[in-house]
Amino acid sequence: ETGVTQTPRHLVMGMTNKKSLKCEQHLGHNAMYWYKQSAKKPLELMFVYSLEERVENNSVPSRFSPECPNSSHLFLHLHTLQPEDSALYLCASSQESIGVSTNEKLFFGSGTQLSVL
Amino acid sequence: DQQVKQNSPSLSVQEGRISILNCDYTNSMFDYFLWYKKYPAEGPTFLISISSIKDKNEDGRFTVFLNKSAKHLSLHIVPSQPGDSAVYFCAASATGTYKYIFGTGTRLKVLA
């Protein structure tokens, strides 16, 4: 148990559906991240929030929409996805807010395995 | 262009022997490196890290070596145990950034 919980663990959706991924961290951390892991590719950073403010949008298509209502919760809203968006979506958190400290460890959730049909 | 490379997608080692996992990077600004371990159906978990001011960091059975001139780091596991079977990712970051660049991972299988 890493202290970062993601739901759902698995999600199958059609290209016209709208769904949301949820992440909650119980570690009192100030920064939260969304990563995407596609088969045989490195983890790709999608979004970073520091103290609930988005500090990074790594050229992610607008069909992915993040939301961070407070420092413990992070959502990824999905709409009109493509089959190539099928991947493992990982949420992570780190202790310090961005710019306060470097050399932080990331704590990951178990991920949501997404399949887009 | 991949800035962090793990050129061996898989590695098999006999129980009790040494496992050596390698990682190369291209960005000379990277000064902090981490290793993560990932079991199936779980997220990556932090294993060990090293700052560029050091060339070695040890934690129990795990040792990470950093060769800055070669832009190469390696993770040594001694002795290897069947429970070490997992995918291992190396990651790198540069001071002042919050971007961790990950490699593609090496799948380690420790044979009993």
Side-chain angles (χ1 to χ4, degrees):
Chain A
E1 178 59 50
T2 63
V4 180
T5 304
Q6 287 187 246
T7 54
R9 293 294 301 271
H10 301 272
L11 179 62
V12 179
M13 59 187 289
M15 289 191 284
T16 58
N17 292 157
K18 288 185 181 180
K19 296 285 184 183
S20 295
L21 310 185
K22 179 183 175 183
C23 176
E24 183 175 1
Q25 57 97 358
H26 312 275
L27 301 168
H29 287 174
N30 290 319
M32 296 188 78
Y33 308 72
W34 279 116
Y35 277 86
K36 174 184 177 184
Q37 186 184 17
S38 304
K40 298 185 180 178
K41 285 189 174 182
L43 274 73
E44 302 171 51
L45 179 64
M46 300 177 72
F47 302 103
V48 182
Y49 277 83
S50 175
L51 296 172
E52 301 141 48
E53 182 178 335
R54 190 191 311 179
V55 297
E56 176 73 13
N57 177 347
N58 207 27
S59 303
V60 179
S62 59
R63 56 186 184 269
F64 296 91
S65 174
E67 179 190 1
C68 187
N70 55 62
S71 60
S72 298
H73 292 86
L74 185 65
F75 295 90
L76 187 63
H77 304 298
L78 316 171
H79 65 98
T80 59
L81 293 193
Q82 306 297 311
E84 59 265 28
D85 296 323
S86 299
L88 179 68
Y89 289 85
L90 289 161
C91 173
S93 69
S94 63
Q95 185 167 11
E96 296 293 344
S97 53
I98 303 303
V100 171
S101 173
T102 56
N103 296 353
E104 290 286 332
K105 293 184 295 190
L106 295 177
F107 291 77
F108 284 90
S110 298
T112 295
Q113 187 66 53
L114 173 67
S115 297
V116 181
L117 305 178
Chain B
D1 180 38
Q2 259 180 272
Q3 298 185 65
V4 177
K5 297 179 184 178
Q6 294 177 256
N7 292 318
S8 298
S10 64
L11 174 69
S12 290
V13 171
Q14 208 63 37
E15 181 180 7
R17 305 294 290 267
I18 183 172
S19 296
I20 301 176
L21 297 97
N22 294 303
C23 181
D24 297 294
Y25 62 97
T26 57
N27 189 338
S28 57
M29 298 299 292
F30 289 151
D31 57 4
Y32 185 58
F33 305 89
L34 310 92
W35 283 94
Y36 280 82
K37 178 167 75 171
K38 185 180 183 300
Y39 293 117
E42 294 182 15
T45 55
F46 172 77
L47 196 57
I48 192 169
S49 63
I50 188 167
S51 166
S52 61
I53 61 174
K54 294 185 174 183
D55 53 20
K56 176 182 173 182
N57 189 24
E58 195 171 350
D59 184 1
R61 296 186 296 114
F62 302 92
T63 303
V64 57
F65 295 92
L66 175 62
N67 183 333
K68 290 185 287 293
S69 60
K71 294 192 180 67
H72 177 84
L73 63 154
S74 60
L75 175 68
H76 293 211
I77 307 173
V78 182
S80 302
Q81 299 173 353
D84 296 329
S85 298
V87 178
Y88 290 79
F89 294 94
C90 68
S93 71
T95 296
T97 76
Y98 43 81
K99 292 187 179 183
Y100 295 84
I101 308 299
F102 284 81
T104 51
T106 296
R107 183 176 301 277
L108 173 66
K109 188 171 184 180
V110 180
L111 307 169

